[in-house]
Amino acid sequence: MTPLLTADNLLLCAGPRTLCSGLSLRVEQGQRWGLLGKNGAGKTSLLHTLAGLRTPREGTVLLDGTPLAALSPAQIAEVVGLLLQESVDALPSTVLETALLGRHPHTKNRLFDNAEDLAIAHEALRKLGIESLAQRAVNSLSGGERQRLALAMLLAQRPRLLLLDEPSNHLDLGFQTPLIHLLLSQARGNPEETIISSDSVSQGAAVIMATHDINLAARVCDNIVLMIGDGETLVGKAVDVLTEENLAKAYDCPIARVENEGRTLFYPL
Amino acid sequence: MSQFQPFRLLLIALLAAFASVLVSLLSGSVELSFDDLIAYTVGDIPALQRQVLEDIRLPRTLAAFVTGAALALAGVLMQVLLRNPLADPYILGLSGGAAVGALASIMLGLGGWWLSGTAFVGALVSVGVVFGIASRSGRWSTTHLLLTGVVVSAGWGALINLMLSTSASASVQGMLFWLMGDLSQSRVGLMQIGILITGSALALRAARSLNVLVRGDLVAASLGVHVNGLRLSLFFGASLLTVIAVTTAGSVGFVGLVVPHMLRLTGARDHRLLIPFSLLAGGTFLVVADTLARTLLAPQQLPVGVITALIGVPSFIAILRSAPSR
């Protein structure tokens, strides 16, 4: 079967620096990938490249077997959703209006909203626990509420590939676990989802998340891309990549690992 | 917002537009009654009244409405393009270029079509200069575009001051009227109306994408919007609309900045609603302002730009104060 996303021999540069070179990935439906590396290692640039917002210096990205370059932005947006680190609200709208923007790639009517899109947007707000804020102006929200709204917009988009840039930013520790379960339920293919969406996406979405939180990635990701710097990357199963030596090399500091109640935790020494 | 409310708001705006046109047609030195208007529609009206209506009031009212609508729409588009609530149709220096062209005509004693012709050329030069600088550096970032516009405006401002200070005092009053915006000689033809209608239809078609673009270029691109193409269309569309406004009435201030914001503050943030709303409200606003400009101190005519600011400032402050600070 064609993988959902294939990256083939990517070379990404930022000015004179090489962010990654010769990077190849095969992301299948239902997989959960973690993207780790120091600040400035190129996590965001890689995510943007996979979303088609940035052209790699070398190499290609294939979505369902088709090169991104051969697809229109609208075609990509029907499949790929991207959570950005920052949002702009110079001309603010309400929370509900913003969540509805997530339906943009799927909406054919240029003027009127249909009931299904509204239901999907409300559902996304409910899942993120911000339905009571629906009529509030976006610029009156706190940082954490904005992050939940950005996630609600992403869920409303119903992508088959979720690219998340620091999804746990601004979120309370107590909400991080439910959030992760929510995102994983996207990856597993939630039966609730298939009732509303008529297309045959029952296999579940794939998730690729960039995060600075090694423990979050260790807990929820089955595959890891570790960006070490100078273009070197380690790609593989989480258990193989997340070792003390690899992490120490990537983060330039000694890192120790402990097992507790069936979980693996890493902490800097 | 319930499904019903937008339509009610639009209906109110439509009625207000209709009322403003009616009042404008009935106000002036020659008495015209509502019955005369009815008589006109069936072709049974005295010659003097017919002439006043056909040659003076109808064309001037139409010019005011088209200019106001074009400016308000251009303001909406510029605010999205620059993602800046302070943007107005003139922010990229277009009115400065048009002013230099128009003032040159006045200086040389040329009137009529020369005035709008040279203003048109000046505006195009300004659009070309800003576009050239912004695209040559390859950076279409909002800040870069805004800075380019502000600097180009400053350059035109210096030329305008130079022309004002070196002109014969007899022509300076005409120049000041042009700079403040004045509809006394204004006429619009099929071209202006055609541009306004086409521009409005295209803007409405892109309204959903504008809602997304307001949230940032990256958000818009990740939601499938062709960001560069849309921003280029916004730049040229807003410029063209502003060109038809300034070549018709000079640089009428305030409409393009304040009308979109008043509507945003009253809840019309969605561009599917804001675009038709701005067209109606902008047109209405300028028709009302122009009616006041020619009747307040009659027979003395005031520049309409003075009136737009005089009504605009207090009403904007009122709305700003009453808007819920949610």
Side-chain angles (χ1 to χ4, degrees):
Chain A
M1 205 181 84
T2 321
L4 180 55
L5 182 93
T6 316
D8 188 27
N9 210 13
L10 291 186
L11 172 64
L12 296 189
C13 301
R17 285 192 308 133
T18 305
L19 300 175
C20 66
S21 97
L23 175 67
S24 296
L25 302 173
R26 255 177 88 94
V27 179
E28 313 271 359
Q29 286 192 336
Q31 284 185 337
R32 309 186 293 267
W33 286 73
L35 197 48
L36 293 172
K38 274 204 300 194
N39 297 146
K43 302 189 287 288
T44 298
S45 300
L46 179 55
L47 274 187
H48 288 187
T49 307
L50 298 180
L53 302 185
R54 202 186 144 114
T55 317
R57 182 78 58 92
E58 281 173 24
T60 47
V61 179
L62 307 172
L63 189 63
D64 288 324
T66 314
L68 284 184
L71 295 169
S72 72
Q75 287 171 316
I76 297 173
E78 284 177 19
V79 181
V80 182
L82 174 64
L83 176 78
L84 294 158
Q85 276 200 65
E86 281 151 23
S87 67
V88 184
D89 43 38
L91 302 165
S93 50
T94 65
V95 168
L96 178 62
E97 285 166 343
T98 307
L100 258 175
L101 296 182
R103 298 305 299 158
H104 188 263
H106 307 285
T107 311
K108 299 291 171 266
N109 189 317
R110 289 177 186 274
L111 287 184
F112 300 103
D113 295 323
N114 62 38
E116 190 194 344
D117 287 343
L118 273 168
I120 292 172
H122 272 293
E123 174 71 2
L125 291 179
R126 194 185 60 73
K127 281 183 178 166
L128 270 300
I130 49 173
E131 204 182 12
S132 60
L133 308 179
Q135 298 306 326
R136 282 261 299 272
V138 174
N139 57 346
S140 73
L141 301 181
S142 74
E145 288 166 341
R146 279 172 206 231
Q147 182 73 357
R148 290 178 189 224
L149 175 56
L151 285 159
M153 204 166 129
L154 184 74
L155 289 194
Q157 190 184 350
R158 301 224 165 143
R160 279 158 56 214
L161 175 61
L162 290 88
L163 304 175
L164 310 169
D165 203 350
E166 300 288 356
S168 58
N169 254 5
H170 301 292
L171 294 180
D172 304 332
L173 213 52
F175 186 65
Q176 288 187 11
T177 310
L179 168 73
I180 295 309
H181 284 296
L182 181 64
L183 296 175
L184 295 192
S185 75
Q186 308 294 309
R188 270 199 304 269
N190 189 338
E192 195 186 344
E193 301 286 301
T194 48
I195 296 171
I196 309 174
S197 69
S198 48
D199 26 315
S200 58
V201 191
S202 51
Q203 299 230 22
V207 177
I208 305 178
M209 69 163 103
T211 176
H212 64 273
D213 186 343
I214 307 172
N215 292 314
L216 179 68
R219 200 165 88 216
V220 303
C221 296
D222 39 32
N223 290 277
I224 297 289
V225 177
L226 182 61
M227 307 187 79
I228 292 176
D230 300 325
E232 195 184 343
T233 47
L234 289 170
V235 180
K237 293 277 168 218
V239 281
D240 301 330
V241 177
L242 294 179
T243 63
E244 288 170 344
E245 307 87 274
N246 288 344
L247 290 171
K249 197 174 163 198
Y251 289 91
D252 261 342
C253 80
I255 287 177
R257 164 197 161 110
V258 289
E259 299 274 349
N260 186 29
E261 294 176 6
R263 280 194 184 159
T264 311
L265 288 174
F266 295 91
Y267 62 95
L269 288 172
Chain B
M1 196 183 285
S2 74
Q3 290 293 85
F4 178 60
Q5 215 174 0
F7 293 104
R8 200 173 58 181
L9 288 173
L10 278 176
L11 190 67
I12 293 173
L14 203 60
L15 289 176
F18 190 70
S20 72
V21 168
L22 213 57
V23 169
S24 168
L25 291 180
L26 298 181
S27 313
S29 53
V30 173
E31 284 291 327
L32 259 179
S33 67
F34 190 68
D35 291 341
D36 289 329
L37 281 187
I38 302 289
Y40 177 71
T41 55
V42 294
D44 171 31
I45 186 174
L48 173 67
Q49 270 84 347
R50 168 187 290 273
Q51 200 186 355
V52 167
L53 204 55
E54 278 186 352
D55 294 352
I56 301 172
R57 293 205 193 147
L58 268 176
R60 182 161 175 172
T61 304
L62 184 64
F65 197 90
V66 169
T67 305
L71 283 175
L73 180 57
V76 169
L77 301 184
M78 274 302 180
Q79 284 158 14
V80 176
L81 173 66
L82 297 169
R83 223 169 284 122
N84 190 322
L86 293 178
D88 78 352
Y90 306 145
I91 198 152
L92 295 184
L94 190 147
S95 66
V100 169
L103 264 50
S105 273
I106 300 174
M107 248 179 132
L108 298 171
L110 304 165
W113 287 109
W114 275 100
L115 201 61
S116 32
T118 48
F120 182 73
V121 172
L124 285 193
V125 169
S126 195
V127 172
V129 167
V130 172
F131 179 72
I133 297 174
S135 58
R136 191 158 178 187
S137 63
R139 288 163 58 199
W140 266 84
S141 79
T142 51
T143 316
H144 190 73
L145 195 57
L146 197 56
L147 276 174
T148 310
V150 167
V151 167
V152 170
S153 297
W156 291 124
L159 283 179
I160 290 168
N161 285 336
L162 180 70
M163 293 166 102
L164 282 174
S165 54
T166 55
S167 293
S169 55
S171 53
V172 168
Q173 201 199 8
M175 292 178 171
L176 289 178
F177 263 70
W178 195 97
L179 288 173
M180 288 183 278
D182 175 36
L183 282 153
S184 52
Q185 308 297 325
S186 300
R187 297 292 179 264
V188 287
L190 279 180
M191 187 186 76
Q192 284 90 342
I193 297 172
I195 289 174
L196 180 64
I197 291 176
T198 314
S200 309
L202 291 176
L204 208 51
R205 235 176 95 84
R208 268 189 200 278
S209 302
L210 298 184
N211 288 342
V212 182
L213 191 65
V214 162
R215 311 287 307 160
D217 284 358
L218 280 175
V219 172
S222 74
L223 286 172
V225 173
H226 211 297
V227 172
N228 287 339
L230 184 58
R231 295 192 62 201
L232 269 180
S233 321
L234 282 177
F235 176 77
F236 286 109
S239 298
L240 194 58
L241 288 165
T242 312
V243 166
I244 65 166
V246 294
T247 51
T248 305
S251 43
V252 182
F254 227 71
V255 182
L257 174 68
V258 160
V259 168
H261 276 297
M262 282 185 175
L263 300 178
R264 282 202 173 96
L265 286 172
T266 54
R269 291 164 302 258
D270 191 314
H271 289 85
R272 290 171 287 169
L273 187 57
L274 184 58
I275 287 166
F277 222 177
S278 291
L279 289 166
L280 289 171
T284 307
F285 183 48
L286 204 56
V287 168
V288 170
D290 183 53
T291 308
L292 291 173
R294 64 194 166 81
T295 53
L296 274 183
L297 295 181
Q300 163 102 39
Q301 301 231 355
L302 301 172
V304 69
V306 172
I307 305 290
T308 54
L310 284 180
I311 341 176
V313 172
S315 40
F316 188 69
I317 291 173
I319 289 181
L320 206 55
R321 283 173 59 103
S322 68
S325 53
R326 295 184 291 183

